[in-house]
Amino acid sequence: MATLSLTCSLPLQPPSSSQSQSRKLIDSIVSTPFQYSSSSTTSSNGSLKPIVVDGDPPTFVSAPGRRIVAVGDLHGDLDKARCALETAGVLSSDGQSLWIGGETVLVQLGDILDRGEDELAILSLLKSLDIQAKAHGGAVFQVNGNHETMNVEGDYRYVDNGALDECIDFLEYLDKCERNWEEAFVSWCAVSARWKQDRKVSQNYWAQWNLVKRQKGVIARSILMRPGGPLACELARHGVVLKVDDWLFCHGGLLPHHVAYGLERLNREVSRWMKGPSEEDNSPQIPFTATRGYDSIVWNRLYSRDGPELENYQLEQVQYLLEETLQSVGAKAMVVGHTPQPMGVNCKYNCRIWRIDVGMSRGVLDSSPEVLEIRDNKARAIRSTRDRSNELQVADYT
């Protein structure tokens, strides 16, 4: 089981469109293994103990004493993503894309792709924030959702035309960065708006050209996202399930048979498939248990269904499955996205399940961003607007 410490003492460096600045930001991460020697959350000098990650991709995270913030589906809406991250208290509001969350652990629950035009910019922003967060004892984690797995599989049904244009722009920018993926990817969030504006100014709206350009966009997307493509390999760094301390995070929902299959095994198999053929595996198969079927981790909606569609006995069965799942992995609660909640962030089954997809993207419900904050094993929803913020305590439990 791979173990990685995420703590270093280097100063914060803001993201920059400069390639040299991006390179320094990337090189600033220093990771050293760490093992706990006591149950205390602080070290001998009074600071919080390092975050420890087990699994590759990350599956189990020990983050003693940290504040945890979870953000749901973003679907290509960069403006709403920024608003959600500002609401979470981890992103500066000055447009400089600076991490201000200190030792906070941020978890994003997938579905960054599709239905919006700034997908790569959001992924780039999260990558940049993760690099900055690690320099301050925090971290950013992502889990892949069904739209990430669909795109790696080549299912582009829900891709916005603007997202295809972004893929074209990014490949051109990658060339300008001399094919240095890390530099281009981390700095894209800082330059993408300018590239988009330049494209719109020079765009030709002839129907024939639009058709040709869409075909070019599909090709560019395939280059980036097919198994083994550079963006697919970036997504492969994230699993489909993550346990941070006593909290489980996944896109759709974890069930007992997923636990029996093995959480690290599921994450490894999804990652291996996204990375494409290798010397060890010439044709990795799509992991059905994790990514296919109504009861797979990324598609499951069992915990998000409400109202008269379920009889009392069915609700009892769902609660039984939830309790069995949580007990088998030693978790207090599960946090899921995937199914938009028009009423906002909410919990059910004695707050053992939290549903945090509020449909904030303009391509979904265009609702006000909300995030889930967890402190000392107590959770609450925070809703924000640009000009003022209201904190709404949804529920507390121990």
Side-chain angles (χ1 to χ4, degrees):
M1 185 181 291
T3 302
L4 176 68
S5 168
L6 299 183
T7 296
C8 63
S9 58
L10 297 174
L12 178 67
Q13 298 185 45
S16 169
S17 59
S18 164
Q19 293 181 25
S20 60
Q21 286 287 79
S22 297
R23 185 70 264 164
K24 290 178 182 178
L25 191 61
I26 295 165
D27 291 340
S28 70
I29 302 305
V30 179
S31 298
T32 54
F34 181 89
Q35 297 293 336
Y36 290 116
S37 58
S38 73
S39 59
S40 172
T41 62
T42 58
S43 60
S44 58
N45 62 6
S47 62
L48 291 177
K49 287 190 173 181
I51 296 170
V52 175
V53 178
D54 288 330
D56 183 17
T59 305
F60 301 101
V61 175
S62 176
R66 262 72 171 188
R67 168 181 179 257
I68 303 170
V69 181
V71 178
D73 306 33
L74 299 174
H75 281 301
D77 192 328
L78 180 60
D79 185 61
K80 290 291 184 71
R82 286 186 175 276
C83 185
L85 295 171
E86 291 171 16
T87 301
V90 298
L91 178 67
S92 62
S93 58
D94 57 5
Q96 297 300 306
S97 300
L98 300 178
W99 173 265
I100 61 171
E103 295 176 304
T104 296
V105 171
L106 171 69
V107 182
Q108 199 284 321
L109 291 185
D111 274 12
I112 291 172
L113 302 183
D114 290 340
R115 305 187 191 279
E117 62 180 13
D118 293 305
E119 309 159 315
L120 304 187
I122 297 173
L123 289 168
S124 170
L125 176 60
L126 291 174
K127 178 80 168 186
S128 173
L129 290 177
D130 183 37
I131 292 172
Q132 298 178 65
K134 288 174 180 174
H136 286 263
V140 176
F141 295 99
Q142 297 169 237
V143 295
N144 288 314
N146 61 302
H147 283 269
E148 280 72 43
T149 60
M150 288 167 66
N151 274 269
V152 174
E153 193 176 350
D155 185 345
Y156 301 157
R157 283 177 292 168
Y158 303 99
V159 179
D160 186 273
N161 284 337
L164 295 178
D165 290 338
E166 188 188 27
C167 290
I168 298 172
D169 290 346
F170 180 76
L171 283 182
E172 293 180 9
Y173 180 66
L174 184 59
D175 284 336
K176 288 184 177 294
C177 293
E178 299 179 344
R179 310 299 295 178
N180 187 315
W181 172 263
E182 291 293 331
E183 287 186 4
F185 188 61
V186 172
S187 61
W188 179 245
C189 63
V191 302
S192 62
R194 175 172 57 81
W195 277 72
K196 183 196 295 186
Q197 183 60 36
D198 290 346
R199 175 194 354 113
K200 288 184 176 180
V201 168
S202 61
Q203 195 167 29
N204 188 326
Y205 288 95
W206 292 354
Q208 182 179 3
W209 170 242
N210 281 341
L211 177 60
V212 172
K213 191 165 188 180
R214 178 173 176 82
Q215 291 173 337
K216 183 179 178 182
V218 170
I219 293 171
R221 194 174 188 85
S222 178
I223 291 172
L224 289 168
M225 295 191 183
R226 65 191 176 197
L231 188 56
C233 290
E234 193 68 41
L235 295 175
R237 298 184 182 190
H238 317 300
V240 291
V241 59
L242 180 74
K243 183 173 183 280
V244 182
D245 294 335
D246 296 328
W247 293 75
L248 270 177
F249 299 89
C250 56
H251 182 67
L254 201 68
L255 295 168
H257 72 275
H258 301 140
V259 179
Y261 192 84
L263 303 190
E264 283 191 274
R265 179 184 175 188
L266 285 165
N267 280 344
R268 282 197 307 269
E269 289 181 354
V270 174
S271 179
R272 187 181 304 121
W273 163 62
M274 288 183 167
K275 290 177 181 177
S278 65
E279 293 182 1
E280 295 79 19
D281 191 349
N282 291 328
S283 182
Q285 299 298 309
I286 298 174
F288 189 90
T289 304
T291 66
R292 292 285 195 89
Y294 68 92
D295 62 347
S296 63
I297 295 174
V298 301
W299 283 101
N300 178 25
R301 299 186 192 272
L302 189 65
Y303 304 130
S304 300
R305 296 171 62 190
D306 273 322
E309 59 182 311
L310 292 179
E311 301 289 343
N312 286 337
Y313 78 92
Q314 292 175 312
L315 291 171
E316 291 174 0
Q317 290 176 334
V318 173
Q319 184 164 6
Y320 175 82
L321 290 172
L322 174 61
E323 292 294 337
E324 182 181 347
T325 302
L326 294 175
Q327 290 177 17
S328 63
V329 296
K332 291 189 175 181
M334 187 187 307
V335 185
V336 300
H338 187 44
T339 304
Q341 305 291 310
M343 74 291 291
V345 171
N346 64 87
C347 65
K348 196 171 182 178
Y349 303 115
N350 298 318
C351 284
R352 299 280 269 173
I353 190 78
W354 285 83
R355 293 91 66 92
I356 70 167
D357 175 13
V358 297
M360 69 180 79
S361 170
R362 283 167 290 182
V364 185
L365 299 180
D366 195 20
S367 62
S368 177
E370 296 183 39
V371 300
L372 182 71
E373 180 188 62
I374 302 166
R375 288 180 182 266
D376 301 321
N377 274 332
K378 295 182 179 180
R380 66 174 180 175
I382 305 177
R383 178 183 297 127
S384 170
T385 61
R386 292 288 188 182
D387 55 348
R388 60 188 178 86
S389 176
N390 295 314
E391 294 187 353
L392 304 177
Q393 186 166 324
V394 176
D396 283 349
Y397 71 91
T398 57

